[in-house]
């Protein structure tokens, strides 16, 4: 009974806010993210928690433009010469992206949607060391990642709630050791599964 009352309260609150904000709305989502390129536990990559905040403006009944701010607490795979795998020192990926979302259908209860976006992604620096010949230590320092990337999303809206799958496209971060000419690659692409709630907007 309490759960039903809580859901009813959330629904009424969202309607009230929607009437005051008009076409403006804010989606808050959280879920699970994972590096896209994984070779199992041996590659040092780890999935983890992801959250995002996305202010949006409703251009029309089916089209929203927004700005997504996201942080995914993942460890990307870092591989040297496609042979040696490391644990990354970069513990998360942050991004800010301009988005465009198209919603299908006329029902307020069940509406699939697709969308995409482009923006900047950032990851911390990471340094790996390998023992070379004659007990020398070779260092591979991956710089801070500030790269332009993109995203594709697909999901379903249930009234003010939504679930979605997102793939984030992003170039690798690489560094080449000047002595060995070997390349260390940090693979930045990741995907996520999230659930969210939208405050504001119009209930068509």
């Amino acid at each position: 009974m309490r759960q039903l009352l809580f859901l009813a309260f959330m629904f009424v609150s969202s309607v009230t806010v929607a009437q005051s904000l008009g076409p403006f709305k804010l989606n808050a989502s959280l879920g699970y993210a994972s590096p896209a390129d994984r070779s199992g536990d041996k590659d040092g990559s780890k999935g983890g928690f992801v959250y995002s905040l996305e202010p949006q403006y409703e251009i029309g009944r089916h089209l929203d433009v927004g700005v997504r701010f996201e942080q995914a607490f993942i460890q990307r795979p870092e591989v040297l010469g496609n042979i040696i795998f490391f644990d990354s020192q970069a513990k998360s990926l942050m991004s800010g992206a301009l988005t465009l979302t198209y919603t299908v259908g006329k029902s307020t209860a069940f509406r699939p949607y697709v969308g995409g976006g482009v923006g900047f992604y950032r990851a911390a620096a990471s340094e790996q060391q390998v023992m070379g010949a004659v007990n020398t230590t070779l260092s591979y320092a991956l710089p801070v990642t500030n790269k332009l990337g993109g995203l594709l999303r697909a999901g379903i809206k249930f009234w003010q709630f939504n679930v979605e799958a997102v793939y984030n496209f992003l170039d690798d971060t690489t560094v080449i050791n000047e002595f060995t000419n070997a390349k260390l690659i940090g693979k930045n692409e990741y995907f996520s599964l999230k659930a969210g709630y939208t405050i504001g907007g119009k209930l068509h």
Side-chain angles (χ1 to χ4, degrees):
M1 183 64 181
R2 290 182 180 179
Q3 292 179 342
L4 290 176
L5 289 175
F6 174 75
L7 290 175
F9 172 77
M10 292 291 291
F11 180 76
V12 172
S13 298
S14 66
V15 172
T16 303
V17 174
Q19 291 175 346
S20 62
L21 294 181
F24 292 97
K25 50 190 171 182
L26 175 67
N27 180 266
S29 298
L30 53 85
Y32 176 80
S34 175
D37 190 344
R38 300 187 67 177
S39 301
D41 294 336
K42 69 176 184 179
D43 68 5
S45 63
K46 295 180 181 178
F49 175 74
V50 60
Y51 71 91
S52 63
L53 293 174
E54 186 172 353
Q56 294 178 314
Y57 182 84
E58 187 174 317
I59 298 176
R61 179 182 178 89
H62 299 283
L63 196 61
D64 297 324
V65 62
V67 181
R68 190 201 72 175
F69 301 96
E70 180 169 281
Q71 185 172 17
F73 294 92
I74 60 176
Q75 288 185 229
R76 67 189 177 194
E78 293 181 1
V79 56
L80 179 63
N82 291 320
I83 299 174
I84 305 175
F85 296 89
F86 300 96
D87 292 335
S88 174
Q89 297 173 4
K91 305 299 183 181
S92 74
L93 275 167
M94 303 179 68
S95 62
L98 181 66
T99 62
L100 196 64
T101 305
Y102 182 80
T103 305
V104 182
K106 299 180 179 180
S107 171
T108 59
F110 180 86
R111 302 181 72 191
Y113 64 90
V114 295
V118 61
F120 286 96
Y121 291 74
R122 180 182 177 85
S126 181
E127 183 174 355
Q128 307 295 348
Q129 295 184 339
V130 179
M131 292 301 297
V134 198
N135 292 325
T136 58
T137 300
L138 302 175
S139 295
Y140 296 82
L142 291 170
V144 173
T145 298
N146 288 300
K147 290 180 176 289
L148 186 67
L151 66 96
L152 289 177
R153 61 167 32 146
I156 300 173
K157 297 180 181 180
F158 304 93
W159 290 284
Q160 299 294 96
F161 296 92
N162 70 283
V163 293
E164 69 173 22
V166 187
Y167 193 97
N168 294 269
F169 299 89
L170 184 61
D171 287 341
D172 297 335
T173 304
T174 62
V175 64
I176 300 176
N177 187 284
E178 60 181 355
F179 297 106
T180 64
N181 206 35
K183 181 186 294 184
L184 177 65
I185 302 175
K187 301 181 179 181
N188 296 312
E189 290 190 348
Y190 71 96
F191 68 89
S192 64
L193 295 173
K194 298 186 295 183
Y197 183 82
T198 300
I199 302 171
K202 297 179 181 179
L203 292 178
H204 295 287

